[in-house]
Structure formats: structure tokens, C-alpha cells
Amino acid sequence: MILDGKIVSKSIYDEIKEKIGNRTGELPSLVLFCDEPDPSNKTYMKSIRKQGEKLGIEVIVRDSGSNPVEEISELNKDKSVAGIMVMHPLKNANEKAVLAALDPGKDLEGRTVSNLGGIINDEEFFAPPTAEAVMEILDYYGIEVKGRDITIVGRSNTVGKPLALLLLKKGVDGTVTVCHSRSRDISEKTFNADIVVSAVGIAKFIEREMIRPGAVVIDVGINFVDGKLVGDVDFDEVSQIAAAITPVPGGVGSVTTALLFRHYYRSIERMES
Ligand SMILES: NC(=O)c1ccc[n+]([C@@H]2O[C@H](COP(=O)([O-])OP(=O)(O)OC[C@H]3O[C@@H](n4cnc5c(N)ncnc54)[C@H](OP(=O)(O)O)[C@@H]3O)[C@@H](O)[C@H]2O)c1
């Protein structure tokens, strides 16, 4: 089975459109806070602006300026702004200081210490949307997590670590192994898993021999090979033995962007409550 992220994201956009349709008055804006965005960020920002346009949400690109911490503090207070994305990496600013100044209620990407720490206590306001997108896809397609063995390859703060915490939550009850560049015998850990999530950033990192027939494979990776967008998984080979697999493009990425807009709307609800 192909786990089609576009179907999942459509259901999220439908939910947001309905909420927006029931509102009166102007929608607050969403700010992309950046200095010198790299090509992949430029592509990402373009797709967010495009989705914003479709939903009637103003997406503003804001330069971090000479005093980014002050700029962020101003945006926090600005009632016409419901969400802020600090585009990583900021090349000319101390990103940690900027994130420390960011209002967790406007932190659509769940990057602040408060939102990340909240996952441990089951009380996060925003989880990082890429990690959440994996959960959303599993949930949408009714893939059981409880008691199953899940191996995540990649331990970044945006994907691997928060995803491990989301899977470990009581009630979700996954059994999680997280691998990274210093892990030994990754193939053994992926082969023993019921669900494998790859967030490495290397094309064809996950090969057929690493996956047990009948396992579920979620590909978070975004790589360009000869100008073509591919994931971390050797899709042609692995799709022949996996019970279910996400494609790239059209998998986790499309759900991630949709979740940003769900977060944006949740921020509006919080501002208005
Ligand atoms: N689809 C989406 O919406 C979305 C969103 C965000 C990111 N992504 C993509 O997902 C991938 C990962 O993103 P990220 O931000 O998490 O990247 P990252 O911060 O660079 O983390 C990559 C992780 O992979 C591990 N790794 C690297 N080489 C490895 C190897 N040979 N064996 C085992 N582990 C290895 C690293 O280990 P160490 O920690 O030991 O260095 C690190 O934990 C990228 O392709 C990115 O473009 C997709």
C-alpha cells in the first residue's frame, strides 16, 4: 500500500478551510522569519506562500534585521500575526537566542524549549510538524503502533527525537529504537522493526535488505539526485516487500506543510480565547 500524504494533507486542509469559512473578519498573517534563506528553504517558503494563498492567509517574508531578538519580541506582541517560523539556519544571527525569545504560542514549528519539553509531559502546544506528520499518516491509515517495534534513523531535534517521544507517549505505546551516525548494525535494527522511519538525508540509505517483508516504511528524507527529488528509501526495491510505504514526493512533506497551517489556526484560537 502506498501511504499517500496528499490524501492526508487534503483532509487537514479541508478541516482548516471549514474553520476559516466559519469566521468573519480578517485573518492574521503568518511570518517567515529569515535572513539569507538557502535554496531548499526558498523552495519550502514558496510552497508555504502558495498554500497560504489558497487558504486566503497572508504569508509575510520578514528579514530578521539587525536585531533579530527585538524583531521577534515585536512579532510576539503583534496581534495581526498568528504564527512565526524561524527559517533554519539563520546565517547571521544567534538562532538559539531568537528561539528563546519566540512566543511558544506562535511557534508553529514547535522549536521552542517550552514546546519541545511539553512533549515529555504530554502537554505540548505545538509538536514539530514533521514528527507530527509521521504520526498523522500512521493514524490516518490505521497503522497500529501500540506495542510494536519502531526504528527511527536520525536523531535531530526536528524529526527523530520528538518523533521518538510522540511514539512513546502513554496511549500510543510504541517501543522505539533511535539510530544515528554512530549507531552500529543499523540494518539489524531496521530489519527487526515493524515500522521503520528514515530521517537521514541520504538517497537510497534504506535498502531492501534492511527491511523485513511486511514492515511499514515511512520516508522523511528529502534529497536531490540529478535534479530529481527523492527520499532516503530505495523506493523501487523496498516497495516490493513493504506492507506500506510513503512516497517522496507526496508523502511526509505534504502533510508537514498542512500541519503548519493547522498550527496557525490553533494559534488564532488561542489568541482569541
Ligand atoms: N519531509 C519533511 O517535511 C521534512 C522535514 C524536515 C526534514 N526533512 C528531511 O529529513 C532528512 C533529515 O532531516 P533532519 O533535519 O532531521 O537532518 P539532520 O539534522 O541533518 O539529521 C540527520 C540525522 O541523520 C543521522 N545520520 C546521518 N548520516 C547517517 C548515517 N550514515 N547513518 C545513520 N544515521 C545518519 C544523523 O546522525 P548524527 O546525529 O549522529 O549526526 C542525524 O541524526 C533530510 O533529508 C531533510 O531534508 C524532511
Side-chain angles (χ1 to χ4, degrees):
M1 176 171 52
I2 302 295
L3 305 172
D4 188 341
K6 284 188 240 142
I7 296 176
V8 184
S9 61
K10 186 182 176 307
S11 77
I12 298 169
Y13 285 126
D14 286 348
E15 159 204 313
I16 301 167
K17 277 182 201 155
E18 195 186 330
K19 287 188 170 176
I20 289 177
N22 290 336
R23 282 178 58 88
T24 50
E26 216 171 303
L27 284 166
S29 48
L30 190 165
V31 171
L32 307 178
F33 191 78
C34 60
D35 51 19
E36 292 170 35
D38 59 24
S40 75
N41 262 334
K42 278 188 183 156
T43 310
Y44 190 33
M45 289 159 72
K46 199 172 152 195
S47 86
I48 294 166
R49 293 183 79 177
K50 201 172 119 197
Q51 286 302 339
E53 237 169 70
K54 283 190 194 164
L55 294 165
I57 298 163
E58 187 186 26
V59 178
I60 298 170
V61 177
R62 174 83 164 257
D63 189 89
S64 56
S66 56
N67 192 340
V69 170
E70 204 172 285
E71 292 283 337
I72 281 283
S73 306
E74 289 303 318
L75 291 169
N76 288 342
K77 285 184 258 166
D78 189 339
K79 289 196 167 52
S80 72
V81 173
I84 305 166
M85 289 173 63
V86 177
M87 304 311 296
H88 171 77
L90 287 181
K91 296 216 171 90
N92 311 314
N94 179 342
E95 200 168 308
K96 271 194 182 165
V98 172
L99 289 174
L102 177 60
D103 174 358
K106 292 190 179 184
D107 167 28
L108 304 187
E109 294 179 291
R111 295 184 64 200
T112 53
V113 170
S114 159
N115 276 320
L116 283 170
I119 305 177
I120 292 176
N121 294 330
D122 291 352
E123 58 191 27
E124 85 278 2
F125 189 59
F126 294 133
T130 310
E132 213 179 3
V134 175
M135 302 301 292
E136 197 78 22
I137 290 171
L138 294 173
D139 183 57
Y140 185 91
Y141 284 99
I143 294 166
E144 183 74 83
V145 171
K146 198 179 276 290
R148 299 183 85 193
D149 293 319
I150 301 130
T151 293
I152 303 168
V153 194
R155 59 172 165 183
S156 70
N157 287 354
T158 43
V159 193
K161 278 189 218 155
L163 177 59
L165 292 172
L166 292 173
L167 288 163
L168 279 173
K169 275 185 170 185
K170 268 199 191 301
V172 180
D173 301 327
T175 302
V176 186
T177 302
V178 183
C179 305
H180 46 81
S181 65
R182 304 298 162 98
S183 299
R184 281 180 294 174
D185 302 329
I186 293 180
S187 297
E188 182 202 321
K189 293 171 181 68
T190 53
F191 194 82
N192 287 330
D194 301 304
I195 302 171
V196 174
V197 181
S198 185
V200 176
I202 301 176
K204 295 202 177 176
F205 182 85
I206 301 287
E207 299 166 339
R208 183 181 176 129
E209 297 68 38
M210 296 169 75
I211 301 296
R212 193 172 48 185
V216 172
V217 180
I218 309 284
D219 191 350
V220 178
I222 296 178
N223 310 291
F224 288 92
V225 176
D226 300 329
K228 195 177 157 224
L229 173 61
V230 295
D232 287 349
V233 178
D234 185 344
F235 185 87
D236 291 343
E237 288 291 323
V238 174
S239 60
Q240 289 178 32
I241 54 157
I245 184 167
T246 56
V248 177
V252 176
S254 41
V255 181
T256 301
T257 310
L259 287 172
L260 280 172
F261 285 98
R262 180 190 275 168
H263 288 182
Y264 157 87
Y265 201 83
R266 199 183 294 160
S267 170
I268 296 182
E269 289 173 327
R270 183 193 67 108
M271 285 164 75
E272 292 177 348
S273 67

